[in-house]
Amino acid sequence: MSRTKKKMSAIEAFIALPDEEKERQWREFDKEFIADTFRPLTAAQRALWEKAKRRPGRPRTGEGSQVVSLSVERALLEKADAYARAKGISRSQLVAEALRAMMAPRRGGRRKSA
C-alpha cells in the first residue's frame, strides 16, 4: 500500500522553489503602490470574503445558548460525564436533555415536589 504525500504548506512550497523564481516573486511584491493595481472583487470572490468574515463557532440551535456556572457534587459530575460518554453525547447535551425531561408535563397526575 503506498502512502500519499503530505501536501506542502505555502511556506514549504516557496522554499522548494528555485532561487530565480523566489527572486521574481519577491520583486513582484516589493513594488511601490501595488494597491493601485487591485480591482473590485467579483461576485464569487465577494461571497467567499463574506463567508470568511463570519464569526466562527458552533451552529446556533434554538434561540442560541447561554453559558452558566453551577456547582455539582464531584462524584455526581463524574457519573454524569461517564453516562454522557457512554451515550456519545456532550455534558451540555446531557444536562439539556435532563432539564427537558424534568420540565415535561407528566401524564397521570401532579408532579411531586422535591
Side-chain angles (χ1 to χ4, degrees):
M1 208 188 289
S2 70
R3 289 185 152 174
T4 58
K5 288 186 178 182
K6 179 184 168 192
K7 186 176 179 181
M8 289 195 302
S9 71
I11 294 171
E12 292 169 332
F14 181 80
I15 291 171
L17 292 173
D19 289 341
E20 299 81 31
E21 179 61 16
K22 290 179 195 170
E23 183 71 24
R24 187 193 68 74
Q25 288 186 14
W26 177 82
R27 269 190 259 111
E28 182 177 331
F29 290 104
D30 194 41
K31 294 176 186 173
E32 288 189 36
F33 308 109
I34 189 82
D36 293 343
T37 65
F38 295 168
R39 57 182 166 49
L41 297 177
T42 64
Q45 291 169 332
R46 172 66 58 192
L48 281 174
W49 175 255
E50 292 301 325
K51 184 177 180 183
K53 277 190 352 182
R54 285 188 209 128
R55 189 173 180 191
R58 295 179 181 217
R60 179 176 245 192
T61 56
E63 294 179 21
S65 62
Q66 174 71 46
V67 176
V68 295
S69 176
L70 56 108
S71 299
V72 179
E73 181 186 327
R74 284 189 180 131
L76 178 60
L77 186 60
E78 288 173 9
K79 287 179 183 178
D81 286 343
Y83 182 81
R85 268 193 307 275
K87 286 193 72 172
I89 61 174
S90 68
R91 181 192 292 169
S92 293
Q93 288 172 308
L94 176 65
V95 171
E97 286 181 22
L99 287 170
R100 285 188 196 99
M102 287 297 295
M103 294 186 297
R106 294 190 181 172
R107 291 185 231 160
R110 293 177 41 168
R111 180 183 310 221
K112 292 182 182 178
S113 60

